[in-house]
PDB file of all heavy atoms in Angstrom:
ATOM      1  N   LEU S 132       6.768  12.966 -20.005  1.00  0.00           N
ATOM      2  CA  LEU S 132       5.491  12.412 -19.546  1.00  0.00           C
ATOM      3  C   LEU S 132       5.782  11.181 -18.670  1.00  0.00           C
ATOM      4  O   LEU S 132       6.431  10.259 -19.082  1.00  0.00           O
ATOM      5  CB  LEU S 132       4.637  12.044 -20.766  1.00  0.00           C
ATOM      6  CG  LEU S 132       3.254  11.486 -20.440  1.00  0.00           C
ATOM      7  CD1 LEU S 132       2.421  12.529 -19.721  1.00  0.00           C
ATOM      8  CD2 LEU S 132       2.548  11.004 -21.693  1.00  0.00           C
ATOM      9  N   LEU S 133       5.298  11.244 -17.457  1.00  0.00           N
ATOM     10  CA  LEU S 133       5.415  10.087 -16.539  1.00  0.00           C
ATOM     11  C   LEU S 133       4.167   9.143 -16.771  1.00  0.00           C
ATOM     12  O   LEU S 133       3.030   9.624 -16.754  1.00  0.00           O
ATOM     13  CB  LEU S 133       5.428  10.582 -15.110  1.00  0.00           C
ATOM     14  CG  LEU S 133       5.585   9.508 -14.015  1.00  0.00           C
ATOM     15  CD1 LEU S 133       6.895   8.728 -14.143  1.00  0.00           C
ATOM     16  CD2 LEU S 133       5.504  10.200 -12.614  1.00  0.00           C
ATOM     17  N   VAL S 134       4.456   7.883 -17.030  1.00  0.00           N
ATOM     18  CA  VAL S 134       3.421   6.944 -17.349  1.00  0.00           C
ATOM     19  C   VAL S 134       3.562   5.682 -16.476  1.00  0.00           C
ATOM     20  O   VAL S 134       4.598   5.390 -16.012  1.00  0.00           O
ATOM     21  CB  VAL S 134       3.437   6.548 -18.845  1.00  0.00           C
ATOM     22  CG1 VAL S 134       3.172   7.752 -19.760  1.00  0.00           C
ATOM     23  CG2 VAL S 134       4.760   5.886 -19.248  1.00  0.00           C
ATOM     24  N   HIS S 135       2.439   4.986 -16.341  1.00  0.00           N
ATOM     25  CA  HIS S 135       2.526   3.672 -15.718  1.00  0.00           C
ATOM     26  C   HIS S 135       1.799   2.643 -16.629  1.00  0.00           C
ATOM     27  O   HIS S 135       1.045   3.009 -17.476  1.00  0.00           O
ATOM     28  CB  HIS S 135       1.861   3.629 -14.289  1.00  0.00           C
ATOM     29  CG  HIS S 135       0.386   3.863 -14.271  1.00  0.00           C
ATOM     30  ND1 HIS S 135      -0.558   3.022 -14.782  1.00  0.00           N
ATOM     31  CD2 HIS S 135      -0.323   4.910 -13.734  1.00  0.00           C
ATOM     32  CE1 HIS S 135      -1.795   3.433 -14.545  1.00  0.00           C
ATOM     33  NE2 HIS S 135      -1.670   4.603 -13.954  1.00  0.00           N
ATOM     34  N   ALA S 136       2.156   1.407 -16.454  1.00  0.00           N
ATOM     35  CA  ALA S 136       1.616   0.367 -17.344  1.00  0.00           C
ATOM     36  C   ALA S 136       0.129   0.191 -17.107  1.00  0.00           C
ATOM     37  O   ALA S 136      -0.434   0.350 -16.043  1.00  0.00           O
ATOM     38  CB  ALA S 136       2.333  -0.993 -17.031  1.00  0.00           C
ATOM     39  N   ASP S 137      -0.559  -0.099 -18.223  1.00  0.00           N
ATOM     40  CA  ASP S 137      -2.012  -0.382 -18.161  1.00  0.00           C
ATOM     41  C   ASP S 137      -2.094  -1.880 -17.812  1.00  0.00           C
ATOM     42  O   ASP S 137      -2.416  -2.715 -18.647  1.00  0.00           O
ATOM     43  CB  ASP S 137      -2.633  -0.089 -19.529  1.00  0.00           C
ATOM     44  CG  ASP S 137      -4.103  -0.229 -19.499  1.00  0.00           C
ATOM     45  OD1 ASP S 137      -4.706  -0.505 -18.400  1.00  0.00           O
ATOM     46  OD2 ASP S 137      -4.786  -0.066 -20.550  1.00  0.00           O
ATOM     47  N   ASP S 138      -1.876  -2.131 -16.496  1.00  0.00           N
ATOM     48  CA  ASP S 138      -1.661  -3.493 -15.994  1.00  0.00           C
ATOM     49  C   ASP S 138      -2.798  -3.791 -15.022  1.00  0.00           C
ATOM     50  O   ASP S 138      -3.020  -3.042 -14.083  1.00  0.00           O
ATOM     51  CB  ASP S 138      -0.315  -3.534 -15.298  1.00  0.00           C
ATOM     52  CG  ASP S 138       0.124  -4.902 -14.872  1.00  0.00           C
ATOM     53  OD1 ASP S 138      -0.629  -5.511 -14.098  1.00  0.00           O
ATOM     54  OD2 ASP S 138       1.205  -5.377 -15.280  1.00  0.00           O
ATOM     55  N   GLU S 139      -3.407  -4.959 -15.166  1.00  0.00           N
ATOM     56  CA  GLU S 139      -4.530  -5.367 -14.256  1.00  0.00           C
ATOM     57  C   GLU S 139      -4.083  -5.391 -12.791  1.00  0.00           C
ATOM     58  O   GLU S 139      -4.851  -5.021 -11.921  1.00  0.00           O
ATOM     59  CB  GLU S 139      -5.010  -6.725 -14.682  1.00  0.00           C
ATOM     60  CG  GLU S 139      -6.138  -7.248 -13.866  1.00  0.00           C
ATOM     61  CD  GLU S 139      -6.534  -8.690 -14.203  1.00  0.00           C
ATOM     62  OE1 GLU S 139      -5.763  -9.586 -13.885  1.00  0.00           O
ATOM     63  OE2 GLU S 139      -7.614  -8.902 -14.821  1.00  0.00           O
ATOM     64  N   ARG S 140      -2.867  -5.771 -12.572  1.00  0.00           N
ATOM     65  CA  ARG S 140      -2.380  -5.829 -11.153  1.00  0.00           C
ATOM     66  C   ARG S 140      -2.317  -4.430 -10.528  1.00  0.00           C
ATOM     67  O   ARG S 140      -2.711  -4.177  -9.414  1.00  0.00           O
ATOM     68  CB  ARG S 140      -1.007  -6.516 -11.109  1.00  0.00           C
ATOM     69  CG  ARG S 140      -0.992  -7.907 -11.662  1.00  0.00           C
ATOM     70  CD  ARG S 140       0.438  -8.386 -11.790  1.00  0.00           C
ATOM     71  NE  ARG S 140       1.206  -7.527 -12.707  1.00  0.00           N
ATOM     72  CZ  ARG S 140       2.515  -7.625 -12.880  1.00  0.00           C
ATOM     73  NH1 ARG S 140       3.234  -8.498 -12.187  1.00  0.00           N
ATOM     74  NH2 ARG S 140       3.134  -6.813 -13.728  1.00  0.00           N
ATOM     75  N   LEU S 141      -1.845  -3.420 -11.335  1.00  0.00           N
ATOM     76  CA  LEU S 141      -1.775  -2.089 -10.871  1.00  0.00           C
ATOM     77  C   LEU S 141      -3.187  -1.519 -10.674  1.00  0.00           C
ATOM     78  O   LEU S 141      -3.463  -0.753  -9.770  1.00  0.00           O
ATOM     79  CB  LEU S 141      -0.985  -1.213 -11.857  1.00  0.00           C
ATOM     80  CG  LEU S 141       0.523  -1.384 -11.953  1.00  0.00           C
ATOM     81  CD1 LEU S 141       1.076  -0.422 -12.980  1.00  0.00           C
ATOM     82  CD2 LEU S 141       1.170  -1.200 -10.589  1.00  0.00           C
TER      83      LEU S 141
END
Side-chain angles (χ1 to χ4, degrees):
L132 183 64
L133 182 60
V134 298
H135 67 68
D137 188 2
D138 186 302
E139 180 185 72
R140 301 169 301 170
L141 289 181

